[in-house]
Amino acid sequence: MSINSLKDFNQKIKRVIITKEQIQEAIQKAGKQISESYDGKPILLVSVLKGAFVFMADLCRAITVPCEIGFMCAKSYYNGTSSSGVVNITLDLEQDISNYHVIIVEDIIDTGRTLNDIVKLLKGRNPLSLRVITLLDKPDRRLVDFTPDMALFTIPDFFVIGYGLDCGEYFRNLPYIAEYNQD
Ligand code: IMP
Ligand code: MG
């Protein structure tokens, strides 16, 4: 895919499927739910870069109890729209997580491979608890048995962009979720 002009960019945005207002409403609810589960022990939000950075930024501001943030980077997609099937951890947490309630913040769960590997890795470090919240879930595409604790939106099997999600590193800056135009 190459984007050489604003026309190319706009042509790739097929239609908006989740508006920025719908996203914000769902995040406020999720933040409230997470805040209400607070038991006085430290919460660590772990964002899986790069796709989840926008969701993480909004979700942490919807949480009204003390929480820390950490980042991990896992790559399973390259320049196209199909999974490589290879999950590679390229950035890891700095914290010892054994005294935290860890909440993994993900942009989208597709085949489930990325999250499956990250959950296994972090469980091995014995956090107080471990939950997964994802903005989007595409259950039709699952290749491993994986269910998030919270999914804000469940979508059919098509490739989406915006609100942190990319295609070839573009479109992360769109404030909504759109279907990508494959033509
Ligand atoms: P999984 O390991 O197949 O579940 O894929 C996880 C990663 O693939 C996500 O964190 C995204 O970065 C990327 N991904 C999966 N589906 C889409 C999509 O529809 N648009 C953009 N990125 C996607
Ligand atoms: Mg991702």
Side-chain angles (χ1 to χ4, degrees):
M1 183 205 55
S2 69
I3 303 273
N4 297 314
S5 66
L6 186 55
K7 190 168 163 270
D8 289 351
F9 182 81
N10 288 325
Q11 193 267 332
K12 290 291 175 196
I13 306 167
K14 193 164 178 184
R15 66 190 170 101
V16 176
I17 60 165
I18 308 170
T19 65
K20 85 181 192 193
E21 290 76 19
Q22 287 171 314
I23 296 171
Q24 291 310 323
E25 197 189 322
I27 290 177
Q28 291 311 313
K29 263 194 213 155
K32 193 163 178 276
Q33 239 176 291
I34 292 170
S35 305
E36 284 168 359
S37 71
Y38 182 63
D39 67 356
K41 302 260 169 60
I43 295 175
L44 176 65
L45 301 177
V46 175
S47 167
V48 184
L49 292 171
K50 298 177 196 170
F53 84 106
V54 181
F55 180 37
M56 172 75 140
D58 282 344
L59 181 67
C60 74
R61 284 177 291 175
I63 293 174
T64 53
V65 298
C67 71
E68 293 178 38
I69 60 165
F71 295 98
M72 292 182 83
C73 193
K75 290 222 164 75
S76 67
Y77 269 77
Y78 297 108
N79 278 332
T81 56
S82 71
S83 173
S84 66
V86 178
V87 179
N88 193 6
I89 309 281
T90 55
L91 174 73
D92 206 342
L93 295 171
E94 292 159 354
Q95 296 95 329
D96 167 2
I97 62 170
S98 59
N99 193 35
Y100 288 92
H101 287 298
V102 171
I103 303 174
I104 300 175
V105 179
E106 181 57 310
D107 52 352
I108 187 164
I109 305 177
D110 187 36
T111 65
R113 283 176 177 140
T114 316
L115 256 283
N116 208 40
D117 283 18
I118 293 178
V119 164
K120 267 193 214 146
L121 182 80
L122 295 189
K123 269 194 181 151
R125 297 179 188 174
N126 296 314
L128 295 175
S129 68
L130 183 69
R131 280 188 286 168
V132 173
I133 177 169
T134 184
L135 178 71
L136 305 172
D137 191 7
K138 270 203 275 193
D140 296 348
R141 298 248 317 160
R142 215 60 110 245
L143 292 178
V144 296
D145 184 20
F146 186 86
T147 312
D149 299 284
M150 225 193 274
L152 273 46
F153 301 94
T154 299
I155 60 167
D157 177 15
F158 44 57
F159 199 80
V160 291
I161 49 172
Y163 198 75
L165 289 126
D166 74 310
C167 186
E169 294 300 326
Y170 288 104
F171 308 105
R172 296 191 195 275
N173 56 322
L174 299 177
Y176 47 76
I177 301 284
E179 183 177 358
Y180 178 73
N181 187 356
Q182 312 264 4
D183 306 336

